[in-house]
Amino acid sequence: MSVELDKPVSDFTATATGNTTVTLSELQGEQVVIYFYPKASTPGCTTEGGDFRDRKAAFDDANTVILGVSRDGLRAQENFKEKQDFNFALIADTEAALCEQFDVLKPKADGERPGLERSTFLIDAEGRLAREWRGVKVPGHVDEVLEAAQALNAKG
């Protein structure tokens, strides 16, 4: 069961920072950006998270919630969020349920357990997948996602 463009995204509930849970259906009426990153507190993931943090007000203006997801445990996510002053929830997908739903686990060259491919998804206010970015390169990425969120919100 993976996601498809222009199709509803299956509901999920996930454990997030701040002793909270995130349920997709409870965000109906708002756009949602879900970005998957390989590992908390690593350079690329810190840069990407900082870019989302620094543009959060613009995402808010575009009626868009930001959610970061990795397979790190909740304690690592809490530490990452606090240290980087992230102003959005981070989801601890330790069982890789969301990673599988969004099909972001990819084989590593060394044959070890699959790695998480840096990917971002934009879900519209009705819960349909509007855009996806896979194999993301961090520089300029958040600006591209923000432009898509703003354009989608203007259509809505």
Side-chain angles (χ1 to χ4, degrees), residues 54-104:
D54 295 347
R55 290 165 184 77
K56 183 172 183 301
F59 278 101
D60 289 347
D61 289 346
N63 189 37
T64 304
V65 174
I66 302 166
L67 299 171
V69 181
S70 77
R71 292 185 295 177
D72 294 294
L74 193 56
R75 180 176 301 220
Q77 297 289 50
E78 292 283 7
N79 291 342
F80 189 35
K81 179 178 177 176
E82 184 178 334
K83 185 174 181 189
Q84 300 302 325
D85 201 25
F86 291 157
N87 45 12
F88 51 86
L90 298 179
I91 293 173
D93 191 29
T94 55
E95 301 297 314
L98 282 180
C99 290
E100 289 175 12
Q101 180 177 344
F102 284 84
D103 191 29
V104 297

